[in-house]
Amino acid sequence: MRFTIALIALIALVFAVAEAKMTRAERKIMEKRGSSSSSSSSSSSGKSFSGTGTWFVPSTEGGSQGACGSHEADNAQVVALNSAQYGNTSKKSSWCGKTVTITYKGKTTDAVINDACPTCSYGDLDLTKTVFKDLESDFGVGELAIKWSVKN
């Protein structure tokens, strides 16, 4: 009996440690398909936002059709907007199709909002690897402290 309880406690501890060690990108992969936000928000042309930029591969993380309804190739110049700003991820947002200018450590690139990121926090963007590479060549970095604004 003691052995069974100890074994269960050990297994629970292993899972807790494994979950704590997951990177943000790994959590997004696991959670991206099932989460959504019901809050709505409208885009703010010209307003600047700060957040975390992470990278994703559309075909393997959520599917090649973005939340905005358009197809997104893995190498497309598109981003997924955090669900807090995007709004209801089961509907097309007013943010869809907006071009954003993203800045990181003096580098700048433009991309189009075509998707939603349910696990991203307010201000965050999930970037395709093409967009991420415009800002940082080392994908191992994983997270970038970005600033971005709506261009149009």
Side-chain angles (χ1 to χ4, degrees):
M1 178 77 165
R2 285 186 200 169
F3 176 76
T4 303
I5 293 172
L7 182 60
I8 291 171
L10 180 62
I11 291 170
L13 179 64
V14 168
F15 279 106
V17 170
E19 184 175 346
K21 288 187 176 186
M22 264 195 274
T23 67
R24 178 186 173 107
E26 290 169 326
R27 280 193 294 274
K28 282 194 309 186
I29 289 169
M30 292 178 65
E31 298 172 1
K32 188 160 189 165
R33 294 178 193 257
S35 299
S36 68
S37 172
S38 59
S39 66
S40 63
S41 181
S42 60
S43 59
S44 301
S45 186
K47 187 175 179 187
S48 183
F49 302 94
S50 296
T52 300
T54 52
W55 60 266
F56 77 113
V57 179
S59 64
T60 60
E61 299 174 57
S64 58
Q65 182 175 352
C68 293
S70 302
H71 173 78
E72 51 191 22
D74 290 345
N75 62 349
Q77 201 73 15
V78 299
V79 297
L81 178 66
N82 65 81
S83 59
Q85 288 177 279
Y86 183 95
N88 185 341
T89 58
S90 64
K91 297 181 180 178
K92 187 172 182 177
S93 172
S94 63
W95 290 87
C96 293
K98 300 282 185 188
T99 300
V100 293
T101 300
I102 309 160
T103 305
Y104 170 72
K105 289 189 176 179
K107 294 182 181 176
T108 301
T109 191
D110 290 339
V112 176
I113 296 173
N114 191 54
D115 208 345
C117 178
T119 59
C120 294
S121 299
Y122 186 92
D124 293 354
L125 296 175
D126 209 3
L127 322 170
T128 57
K129 290 178 86 172
T130 302
V131 176
F132 191 95
K133 190 173 182 180
D134 286 347
L135 302 170
E136 173 60 61
S137 60
D138 182 4
F139 292 112
V141 171
E143 297 183 352
L144 309 177
I146 59 169
K147 291 187 180 191
W148 61 276
S149 61
V150 177
K151 192 171 184 176
N152 60 353

